[in-house]
Amino acid sequence: MEIIGFSAAILTTAAFLPQVYKTWKTKDVSGLSLPMLIMFFVGVFLWLVYGFYKESPSMIFANAITVVSAFFLMYFKIIYSKK
Amino acid sequence: MEIIGFSAAILTTAAFLPQVYKTWKTKDVSGLSLPMLIMFFVGVFLWLVYGFYKESPSMIFANAITVVSAFFLMYFKIIYSKK
């Protein structure tokens, strides 16, 4: 059954990465909301903690990648908004 | 420890809902990619199945809401793209 978790992890992570790439390339952060990014970052961090508690390899894998991606989006929002 | 899962569920779900609302109000789906939405929808559906397997109330709660939201985004993308 862990294969279902990993399939889920790959699909939802892969659907999120193009957003990070697009923001990095275009530097267009006008459509991104900082409070929402912060909520999302904290939420994904808590999912990561919960994944360790549930001893779920697929949750740890997915949320470790997503927490880093969410951090970059927050970072882009802050640095590109200043211009 | 389930409180951590529920905190995570509320934060990540709340960060996603404004996107659904914005798309519904503006009917602007130009920034949304249908293949990505389909991947995301299938991925979240698999997380829901995995949540049942892990007997995790917070995963079931979060993914049940998100799978419905993702379905609406796919639906909006299809109907508003035709115009």
Side-chain angles (χ1 to χ4, degrees), chain A residues 1-2 4-5 7-9 11-12 14-15 18 22 36 39-40 42-44 46-47 49-50 53-56 58-59 62, chain B residues 1-2 4-5 7-9 11-12 14-15 18 31 36 39-40 42-44 46-47 49-50 53-56 58-59 62:
Chain A
M1 277 296 282
E2 200 59 33
I4 291 188
S7 304
L11 286 169
T12 52
K22 188 182 174 189
M36 292 297 156
M39 279 171 61
F40 186 71
V42 174
V44 173
L46 292 179
W47 277 128
V49 173
Y50 185 79
Y53 160 65
K54 280 284 185 181
E55 297 180 351
S56 160
S58 45
M59 285 192 75
Chain B
M1 277 296 281
E2 199 60 32
I4 292 190
S7 305
L11 287 167
T12 51
M36 291 300 156
M39 279 171 61
F40 186 70
V42 175
V44 173
L46 292 178
W47 277 127
V49 173
Y50 185 78
Y53 161 65
K54 281 283 186 182
E55 296 178 355
S56 160
S58 46
M59 284 191 77

Side-chain angles (χ1 to χ4, degrees), chain A residues 12-73:
Chain A
T12 52
T13 307
F16 186 64
L17 290 179
Q19 177 66 61
V20 181
Y21 181 77
K22 188 182 174 189
T23 305
W24 176 50
K25 286 309 242 186
T26 64
K27 297 181 174 49
D28 177 9
V29 292
S30 61
L32 298 176
S33 150
L34 188 58
M36 292 297 156
L37 288 176
I38 293 169
M39 279 171 61
F40 186 71
F41 174 75
V42 174
V44 173
F45 180 77
L46 292 179
W47 277 128
L48 182 60
V49 173
Y50 185 79
F52 278 102
Y53 160 65
K54 280 284 185 181
E55 297 180 351
S56 160
S58 45
M59 285 192 75
I60 294 168
F61 169 76
N63 290 303
I65 293 174
T66 309
V67 84
V68 172
S69 308
F71 177 82
F72 274 108
L73 281 182

Side-chain angles (χ1 to χ4, degrees), chain B:
Chain B
M1 277 296 281
E2 199 60 32
I3 188 70
I4 292 190
F6 270 103
S7 305
I10 288 165
L11 287 167
T12 51
T13 307
F16 186 63
L17 289 178
Q19 177 65 64
V20 181
Y21 181 75
K22 188 181 175 190
T23 305
W24 177 51
K25 285 310 241 184
T26 64
K27 298 182 172 48
D28 177 10
V29 292
S30 61
L32 299 175
S33 148
L34 188 59
M36 291 300 156
L37 288 176
I38 293 170
M39 279 171 61
F40 186 70
F41 174 76
V42 175
V44 173
F45 180 77
L46 292 178
W47 277 127
L48 182 60
V49 173
Y50 185 78
F52 278 102
Y53 161 65
K54 281 283 186 182
E55 296 178 355
S56 160
S58 46
M59 284 191 77
I60 294 168
F61 170 76
N63 290 303
I65 293 174
T66 308
V67 84
V68 173
S69 308
F71 176 82
F72 274 108
L73 281 182
M74 276 199 308
Y75 176 74
F76 291 151
K77 177 65 185 177
I78 292 166
I79 61 167
Y80 296 145
S81 290
K82 284 179 180 168
K83 289 172 184 172

